[in-house]
Amino acid sequence: MSTLYDYFWAADRATAVDWAVGPDGDWRSGGSLEEACADRLEVKGLDPNVVLGKLVSFAAGIPFGSVVDPELVWPDPVEWPYGRQAPPGTASPWESGLILQELPESWRDALAGVVEDAVPMLALQWWDIEETRFADYLHAEESVRTFVGMARRARSAGARLYCSCYV
């Protein structure tokens, strides 16, 4: 089974949850991100915590261990701590196969600040990490450009970046 990641930007957390999870809490019942016409990128194998985190570390010029982690938005970690038993007759959102994370504002800004001349070197660094395999260097370069463009549009709109992970 593959894990899919949807990266998108939204004005706020409530909007991100509504788009990614849906108003009824069952993301499988509709294509909220598609219906919302969200500026999004659907990918396989580019997880936010490590793979995108490494791109951010390259873009910011800092060690990967210094990169701030994304924050869990859904399931709500306060309302539904991981491992909490659901009351009888209620399904735990952890069993839904979806998590939603808000990427740090510093990630958005680091990616949005990438100058065109830096893209080829960033792509080469990112292409070389062991956690993912791009089809080729050009695929890595296109992915860098896509993330940089999305980050710039989000920053211009005063919005945040999000990642929904579907298992």
Side-chain angles (χ1 to χ4, degrees):
M1 181 181 286
S2 294
T3 303
L4 296 176
Y5 301 94
D6 263 328
Y7 289 92
F8 64 99
W9 60 268
D12 53 48
R13 283 185 176 189
T15 302
V17 170
D18 186 46
W19 287 356
V21 182
D24 63 355
D26 184 7
W27 62 271
R28 293 168 290 212
S29 66
S32 298
L33 285 170
E34 289 177 32
E35 291 169 10
C37 298
D39 183 358
R40 68 189 259 270
L41 170 65
E42 184 179 334
V43 294
K44 289 183 184 177
L46 298 181
D47 81 282
N49 299 58
V50 176
V51 178
L52 187 61
K54 286 192 174 185
L55 176 61
V56 169
S57 76
F58 299 147
I62 60 174
F64 174 63
S66 300
V67 174
V68 177
D69 289 330
E71 187 176 343
L72 181 66
V73 174
W74 196 88
D76 183 323
V78 174
E79 184 179 332
W80 284 96
Y82 184 73
R84 174 181 156 210
Q85 294 292 335
T90 305
S92 167
W94 287 102
E95 297 170 8
S96 72
L98 170 80
I99 65 167
L100 176 64
Q101 294 176 293
E102 181 179 75
L103 306 183
E105 195 169 338
S106 61
W107 288 29
R108 180 202 65 194
D109 295 343
L111 292 171
V114 170
V115 296
E116 182 60 30
D117 291 348
V119 170
M121 182 54 73
L122 286 174
L124 186 60
Q125 288 177 290
W126 204 32
W127 182 46
D128 200 34
I129 67 172
E130 65 183 70
E131 290 83 6
T132 193
R133 292 288 167 245
F134 292 99
D136 55 26
Y137 166 79
L138 293 175
H139 181 229
E141 184 177 28
E142 180 182 329
S143 296
V144 170
R145 289 183 199 288
T146 300
F147 277 111
V148 167
M150 181 180 289
R152 286 179 182 158
R153 292 186 297 277
R155 184 174 66 181
S156 292
R160 299 293 293 262
L161 294 173
Y162 295 88
C163 178
S164 51
C165 170
Y166 307 91
V167 180

